[in-house]
Amino acid sequence: MEVKSLHLQVQEMRQSLFDEGYLDRQYTQLEALAKDTNPNFIVEVITLYFRDSPDVIASLEHELEREPIEVPMITKCILRLESSSASIGAIKVYKELKKANTFLQAGNIEGTKAALGGIKKQHRELRAKFETYFQLMRHAAGPTEVAVNSS
């Protein structure tokens, strides 16, 4: 009964990521790929995203603090993070990046800096949600290997 309850919790948590607007249909496309190839695919892709994206956010923050401001470098950071966020379906992060890019293209550096706060907030929230979600998934899956006596 507990396993069934855990699986239900996993399903409900997954649905809440969509209902709360953190993810879009791109994430379901990744899940479909995982079913066809590697059951750990989605975890690996999301893990890579959260391994690499903080560096891009840090670069963006650094570029916004430099004098003089180099719009092409800032644009490069935004577009790189936009692309990776869109590819996993991280729609709230993506929308904040679009906002930052709109400010940047309008020459509003202060607006871009303010949007960075939204990017960081949404990224942090999504990361926390995925950490909880993946932990629940692992718990629901139970032990995956049986200990073998090597003697």
Side-chain angles (χ1 to χ4, degrees), residues 87-149:
S87 72
I88 67 160
I91 193 66
K92 280 190 174 185
V93 176
Y94 178 81
K95 285 178 179 179
E96 290 298 321
L97 286 155
K98 289 302 261 184
K99 226 185 281 186
N101 200 26
T102 299
F103 283 128
L104 183 65
Q105 298 311 313
N108 184 345
I109 300 303
E110 290 308 312
T112 307
K113 288 178 181 180
L116 175 62
I119 293 164
K120 290 164 69 173
K121 176 184 180 285
Q122 292 304 328
H123 185 270
R124 189 173 47 251
E125 287 178 7
L126 183 62
R127 182 181 199 130
K129 297 249 182 212
F130 266 116
E131 286 172 354
T132 303
Y133 178 56
F134 288 158
Q135 183 179 27
L136 188 59
M137 283 175 56
R138 283 190 297 274
H139 194 249
T144 56
E145 295 181 10
V146 176
V148 177
N149 186 348

Side-chain angles (χ1 to χ4, degrees), residues 50-120:
F50 284 112
R51 187 191 72 201
D52 296 341
S53 56
D55 291 339
V56 181
I57 292 171
S59 293
L60 175 58
E61 191 166 28
H62 173 74
E63 290 299 329
L64 284 167
E65 292 170 358
R66 288 182 55 180
E67 288 293 332
I69 294 289
E70 293 186 31
V71 172
M73 295 301 292
I74 297 169
T75 301
K76 181 180 174 182
C77 292
I78 290 173
L79 294 178
R80 182 171 167 203
L81 195 54
E82 253 185 37
S83 174
S84 61
S85 297
S87 72
I88 67 160
I91 193 66
K92 280 190 174 185
V93 176
Y94 178 81
K95 285 178 179 179
E96 290 298 321
L97 286 155
K98 289 302 261 184
K99 226 185 281 186
N101 200 26
T102 299
F103 283 128
L104 183 65
Q105 298 311 313
N108 184 345
I109 300 303
E110 290 308 312
T112 307
K113 288 178 181 180
L116 175 62
I119 293 164
K120 290 164 69 173

Side-chain angles (χ1 to χ4, degrees), residues 3-88:
V3 172
K4 187 174 183 179
S5 176
L6 284 172
H7 286 292
L8 183 59
Q9 288 177 30
V10 168
Q11 290 173 345
E12 289 171 349
M13 182 157 195
R14 179 192 174 278
Q15 187 58 47
S16 76
L17 289 168
F18 289 95
D19 294 345
E20 295 172 24
Y22 285 98
L23 297 175
D24 68 6
R25 63 184 174 82
Q26 180 61 32
Y27 183 80
T28 59
Q29 292 175 348
L30 285 176
E31 287 178 321
L33 286 173
K35 288 178 186 172
D36 294 341
T37 58
N38 173 1
N40 294 323
F41 178 74
I42 195 79
V43 174
E44 292 169 4
V45 169
I46 300 300
T47 300
L48 283 173
Y49 172 79
F50 284 112
R51 187 191 72 201
D52 296 341
S53 56
D55 291 339
V56 181
I57 292 171
S59 293
L60 175 58
E61 191 166 28
H62 173 74
E63 290 299 329
L64 284 167
E65 292 170 358
R66 288 182 55 180
E67 288 293 332
I69 294 289
E70 293 186 31
V71 172
M73 295 301 292
I74 297 169
T75 301
K76 181 180 174 182
C77 292
I78 290 173
L79 294 178
R80 182 171 167 203
L81 195 54
E82 253 185 37
S83 174
S84 61
S85 297
S87 72
I88 67 160

